[in-house]
Amino acid sequence: MSDSIISVQDLRKVYRVGELDVAALRGANLEVPKGEFLAIVGPSGSGKSTLFYILGGLAKPTSGKVAVGGEDLASLTDSGRTRLRRSKVGFVFQRYNLLPTLTALGNIEIARYIAGRQTGPLDKSFLELLRLLRIENRLDHKPRALSGGEQQRVAIARALVNHPAILLADEPTGNLDTENATAVLDVLRDLNERLGQTILMITHNPEAAAYAHRTVRMRDGRVLDN
Amino acid sequence: MINRLVFENLRHRKVRTGLSALSIGFQVTMILAIVGLSQGMLKDSADRAKGVGADIWVKPPSTSAIQLSSATMPEKMLDAFMLQPHVIRAVGSYTVPLSGLSTLTGIDYQKFTGLSGPFKFVEGGPFQGKFDVIVDRWYQETYHKGVGDTVKALEKEWHVCGVVEPGKLARMFVPLATLQDVMSNPGKVSQALLKLDNPKETFAVISALKVELPEYKIYSVEELVSQFSVENVPGLKAFINVIVGLSIIVGFLVVSLTMYTTVLERTREIGILKALGASPGDIMGILVRETLLLAAGGWFAGILLSFGANWAINHFVRASIQSVITPDWWPIVAAIAVVASLLGALYPGMRAARQDAIEALSYE
Ligand SMILES: Nc1ncnc2c1ncn2[C@@H]1O[C@H](COP(=O)(O)OP(=O)(O)OP(=O)(O)O)[C@@H](O)[C@H]1O
Ligand SMILES: [Mg+2]
């Protein structure tokens, strides 16, 4: 499928732990068209996060084909994967992962700086996004002064500041209460609908998965057909 | 932006940042104090030598300009010097080392002031008795001894008869004859001070004297003063080098430890930065900047502390040791602080830069 933004074929990943080989992915296949909001579910240890790390350029595939936005990840060097993370991918984690010493705005700006050495005022459409995320008044707060829901929305803003081709959200609502989780999911759906942002979201929660267009299931390092 | 992160990181752990900078600061102060002391004491000696007003200094064989010469010069030689053309005064002095760095100097009061000009008395006056001692104001300030007090030296009691302004030859003067007596070394002096009718003749006179006294060390006052340098004090240069070396090692260890702890503590943040697209070089750059800020802070603190040390030395113990502020060493200690810190940051930085992002992100 040539209009896929993500194309994964027979992807394998083996972690080496001391003398032991741990196979996290055992021949996963996945096609994601541009603009899709995809939910990924599956039992713990089935390889969901590993798939994200490879798609996001944080880990090297052991074998198989992976392409993101037409770029073949298997052949990328370390610095190539660094470039991929800067330009094509935005990560959102379960544990928010904001830098604790910087304010919300500082977290957003450092991401922009790392990606493109850009400084100066944020553009209009991004300010719009901050309003959509309802964090425009919380920007000078340090993470510890923000609620979990707010931190996660700041993390989403940070992931999107460089206009990535794909947003990878690994259990973004896993640490949130229902109200905050709903707010975050609403925002993700909004982003997808209004801006056409491609989103992949790992979740254990069927209600969260219901927000997506489509849900795929993983088991034992494979994506199950449905 | 990176600078803000660096700054906030340092601010986030104020106590550790402060302590690390202060430890670097103490290394800097230690170097500056040693150098300041060396140069201060040499300057003081040079000033006192210049303050005498002699054009030529003659010292016995086997000494150097800044060493104390042993009193092996017969006083009779002074009469011979007087026969030289252009020499209008020839005065002997006898210097005996006491404990530490202090000395006792025997002079013939009339002859010495004849050559050097009158002493400026703060209190009291010239020698009255055999065991009288004249001290300078710094000595008085440090040891709180004034006219009427007794000073013990060479197992004798000396009565302070006068306090003079500092800057002439020595800090403690006693009658030359008494000192020769006490040392059982009659008729001998440790150096001769010559005054000429015309200072322009100095080199001519020195050349003439060198022919007659080939073994003796004969200096113009400029030559003598130029010898008062760190290089000419045996072992001083090496001592300073050892202090510099130790400072680098200690600075290196302090920064290593700080940065190592920081890197461990921030494993997760490093993972986050990598997920945002930071390269190993970016991570290293952040730590290097933090380190350079620590070094700069330490450097600044060290210079401030060195002013404190300088003031304390010159205020409390000026009679025995003197110190000067040495701005020409500020860039040198800056380089030392930077080199030590960067060496210290090297291993922790490389570890952080190579850190696996996934492991870092799952780090608790
Ligand atoms: N850094 C690593 N080193 C070694 N093994 C790893 C590493 N990360 C994951 N694994 C192993 O790979 C397998 C897949 O892990 P992964 O984190 O991708 O699962 P997951 O589906 O995200 O699970 P969960 O739902 O618990 O987050 C597991 O068996 C795990 O133990
Ligand atoms: Mg996971």
Side-chain angles (χ1 to χ4, degrees), chain B residues 57-321:
Chain B
W57 294 57
V58 183
K59 296 184 166 224
S62 73
T63 54
S64 79
I66 63 173
Q67 274 174 327
L68 283 180
S69 18
S70 50
T72 54
M73 221 168 140
E75 259 180 302
K76 284 200 201 78
M77 282 177 69
L78 298 170
D79 300 330
F81 290 139
M82 287 300 281
L83 298 176
Q84 287 283 329
H86 300 295
V87 175
I88 51 170
R89 293 190 194 273
V91 176
S93 75
Y94 190 152
T95 301
V96 179
L98 302 177
S99 65
L101 293 161
S102 54
T103 56
L104 195 61
T105 299
I107 51 168
D108 180 309
Y109 190 85
Q110 298 305 330
K111 287 185 183 161
F112 182 76
T113 51
L115 179 143
S116 180
F119 279 115
K120 290 197 195 74
F121 280 97
V122 180
E123 52 179 88
F127 304 129
Q128 306 291 328
K130 194 175 176 212
F131 284 95
D132 276 358
V133 58
I134 294 173
V135 299
D136 77 357
R137 189 163 49 77
W138 291 2
Y139 184 93
Q140 184 194 26
E141 284 166 9
T142 303
Y143 297 104
H144 306 291
K145 299 273 189 191
V147 171
D149 293 326
T150 8
V151 175
K152 268 197 91 130
L154 303 174
E155 296 171 357
K156 301 277 181 220
E157 306 234 310
W158 307 81
H159 313 286
V160 178
C161 66
V163 177
V164 296
E165 283 296 337
K168 264 187 196 205
L169 188 64
R171 295 232 121 78
M172 299 168 78
F173 302 94
V174 296
L176 176 61
T178 314
L179 193 58
Q180 288 169 335
D181 231 25
V182 171
M183 299 303 289
S184 327
N185 195 9
K188 294 282 173 58
V189 293
S190 46
Q191 61 190 358
L193 313 165
L194 310 186
K195 180 111 185 142
L196 308 184
D197 54 2
N198 180 1
K200 289 205 181 95
E201 301 296 335
T202 303
F203 287 99
V205 176
I206 290 178
S207 312
L209 286 174
K210 279 186 174 162
V211 173
E212 281 179 50
L213 301 167
E215 307 278 283
Y216 277 67
K217 303 284 164 62
I218 303 165
Y219 305 101
S220 71
V221 68
E222 288 80 16
E223 281 169 342
L224 183 81
V225 165
S226 73
Q227 300 280 310
F228 286 93
S229 72
V230 171
E231 283 73 21
N232 287 331
V233 183
L236 183 54
K237 187 100 194 167
F239 179 67
I240 292 177
N241 287 342
V242 167
I243 295 292
V244 168
L246 283 177
S247 299
I248 292 181
I249 293 170
V250 175
F252 162 81
L253 291 176
V254 166
V255 173
S256 272
L257 192 64
T258 311
M259 282 299 146
Y260 193 73
T261 329
T262 301
V263 164
L264 280 187
E265 194 180 69
R266 297 220 308 257
T267 301
R268 197 174 174 80
E269 285 167 53
I270 291 163
I272 298 170
L273 287 168
K274 290 200 164 167
L276 293 176
S279 64
D282 290 338
I283 305 287
M284 192 75 174
I286 288 170
L287 289 168
V288 163
R289 283 177 211 216
E290 284 190 31
T291 305
L292 287 179
L293 268 185
L294 278 184
W299 177 67
F300 189 70
I303 288 178
L304 287 186
L305 284 170
S306 80
F307 274 95
N310 188 65
W311 178 84
I313 288 169
N314 289 339
H315 198 257
F316 297 114
V317 287
R318 190 154 61 157
S320 18
I321 52 179

Side-chain angles (χ1 to χ4, degrees), chain A residues 85-86 97 101 109 113 117, chain B residues 2 9 268 274 277 282:
Chain A
R85 293 202 292 276
R86 287 179 182 177
N97 280 341
T101 56
E109 286 179 334
Y113 179 82
R117 300 287 179 258
Chain B
I2 288 283
N9 284 342
R268 197 174 174 80
K274 290 200 164 167
D282 290 338

Side-chain angles (χ1 to χ4, degrees), chain A residues 15 53 58-59 82 85-86 91 93 95 97-102 106 109-111 113-114 117 142 158, chain B residues 1-2 4-5 8-9 11-12 268-269 272-280 282 357-358 361 363-364:
Chain A
Y15 289 111
Y53 292 146
L58 282 171
T82 297
R85 293 202 292 276
R86 287 179 182 177
F91 275 107
F93 302 95
R95 291 179 49 181
N97 280 341
L98 297 177
L99 295 168
T101 56
L102 294 179
E109 286 179 334
I110 194 103
Y113 179 82
I114 289 174
R117 300 287 179 258
K142 295 263 172 84
R158 181 180 67 179
Chain B
M1 193 55 232
I2 288 283
R4 176 142 28 117
L5 177 66
E8 292 295 337
N9 284 342
R11 218 180 59 150
H12 190 68
R268 197 174 174 80
E269 285 167 53
I272 298 170
L273 287 168
K274 290 200 164 167
L276 293 176
S279 64
D282 290 338
I358 300 173
L361 282 169
Y363 187 85
E364 295 304 316

Side-chain angles (χ1 to χ4, degrees), chain A residues 116-168:
Chain A
R117 300 287 179 258
Q118 284 182 69
T119 51
L122 297 159
D123 62 49
K124 237 183 162 153
S125 65
F126 190 75
L127 293 173
E128 191 79 32
L129 178 73
L130 294 179
R131 264 192 294 282
L132 184 72
L133 290 165
R134 283 180 289 115
I135 50 170
E136 76 271 25
N137 296 320
R138 315 293 287 158
L139 291 177
D140 7 323
H141 291 69
K142 295 263 172 84
R144 66 169 180 279
L146 299 173
S147 74
E150 285 169 336
Q151 288 190 53
Q152 194 60 299
R153 280 177 277 142
V154 171
I156 293 171
R158 181 180 67 179
L160 292 174
V161 69
N162 298 313
H163 308 292
I166 57 172
L167 179 66
L168 301 173

